[in-house]
Amino acid sequence: MTTKGEIRQTIVAVLVDVVLPLAGYYALRAFDVAETTALVLSGLPPALRVAVTFARTRRVDAMGLFVVLLVLLNLGTAALTGDARLLLVRGGWLSLLIAGWMLGSLVLGSRPVTYLACRSLLVGKADHLDRLWEAHASFRQVWRRLTAIWGGATLFGCALNIVTAYTLPVDVVPALDTGWHVGSFLVLQIITQILLRREGTLGELWRPSCTLNPATERQSGEHHHSPSR
């Protein structure tokens, strides 16, 4: 169950990582700040949130490192080229790396990225998730399918970012890019929930007892005749 603290953290993250950068960019442009400078400055709030989180917890997650990397790339690109369009397209190249990581995990990794992401978010359920992974072939299949869907959508977003960055007016792209990321994230979340509910196994996590019957695990494994990876 989601706690009030988690809801508060989500709201703060959305405000700082999505609303402030977009509003900040257009506010700076309203005061005739140059496109390149506005893009760099509007990208700072998420990095400041990561810094505050690190100061409080002495920990930085993968998303935090990604945000810091993005800010450093912005600063480096602005200093070396001063090209606003190159700043706009940097997210597309990073999305390409993420898509490659997701899709590559289907071939090279022992477990797909979306499953590992879920496991890292549900820390208290990690062992139970691993038992579900070992016991149910359908559970393994749905996470591989979700990874392919998220990876494909991320790859499409990369192409869209690059095309719009070099064909549309600079001031149009930040709003369009943000709209795409928010909209695609919501659609992907809906798809994820639908597929997980149809598969059904994940519901075992929320039962009063989060332990699987060993006999059930053996029967499930024998029924699916599918080796775990």
Side-chain angles (χ1 to χ4, degrees), residues 132 135-143 145-146 192-204 220 224:
L132 293 177
H136 299 279
S138 61
F139 188 69
R140 298 190 291 271
Q141 183 180 6
V142 75
W143 284 110
R145 186 179 302 168
L146 285 170
T192 297
Q193 295 304 316
I194 290 174
L195 291 181
L196 288 175
R197 284 180 180 275
R198 283 182 177 177
E199 194 278 330
T201 305
L202 197 62
E204 294 188 24
S220 176
H224 291 294

Side-chain angles (χ1 to χ4, degrees), residues 9-223:
Q9 289 177 359
T10 300
I11 293 174
V12 170
V14 170
L15 288 175
V16 176
D17 295 351
V18 179
V19 177
L20 276 181
L22 186 62
Y25 173 79
Y26 288 110
L28 291 169
R29 290 293 292 141
F31 286 96
D32 293 326
V33 175
E35 295 167 342
T36 301
T37 304
L39 286 170
V40 171
L41 293 178
S42 63
L44 293 180
L48 293 176
R49 184 177 70 84
V50 173
V52 171
T53 300
F54 177 75
R56 289 178 176 174
T57 65
R58 298 298 176 186
R59 293 177 59 186
V60 178
D61 57 17
M63 182 56 66
L65 291 175
F66 176 77
V67 169
V68 172
L69 175 61
L70 199 59
V71 171
L72 292 176
L73 283 174
N74 283 350
L75 293 173
T77 302
L80 293 175
T81 68
D83 187 345
R85 293 192 181 277
L86 197 56
L87 279 173
L88 289 172
V89 83
R90 90 286 187 205
W93 297 120
L94 289 174
S95 294
L96 180 61
L97 293 177
I98 295 172
W101 177 40
M102 288 182 176
L103 298 175
S105 72
L106 295 172
V107 180
L108 303 176
S110 60
R111 297 182 182 184
V113 166
T114 53
Y115 170 81
L116 295 176
C118 176
R119 191 180 184 280
S120 67
L121 291 173
L122 301 176
V123 179
K125 305 287 187 178
D127 290 340
H128 189 59
L129 277 169
D130 288 342
R131 290 196 294 272
L132 293 177
W133 177 271
E134 296 294 334
H136 299 279
S138 61
F139 188 69
R140 298 190 291 271
Q141 183 180 6
V142 75
W143 284 110
R144 293 188 177 107
R145 186 179 302 168
L146 285 170
T147 299
I149 292 171
W150 279 78
T154 303
L155 193 61
F156 178 80
C158 165
L160 181 66
N161 174 260
I162 293 172
V163 170
T164 56
Y166 283 105
T167 58
L168 297 178
V170 170
D171 285 339
V172 173
V173 178
L176 185 63
D177 195 44
T178 300
W180 159 257
H181 281 97
V182 172
S184 62
F185 177 79
L186 292 176
V187 170
L188 288 170
Q189 282 291 348
I190 292 172
I191 293 172
T192 297
Q193 295 304 316
I194 290 174
L195 291 181
L196 288 175
R197 284 180 180 275
R198 283 182 177 177
E199 194 278 330
T201 305
L202 197 62
E204 294 188 24
L205 285 177
W206 316 119
R207 292 179 181 176
S209 174
C210 285
T211 56
L212 289 176
N213 187 315
T216 302
E217 293 185 22
R218 288 195 298 271
Q219 291 172 5
S220 176
E222 292 171 0
H223 174 71

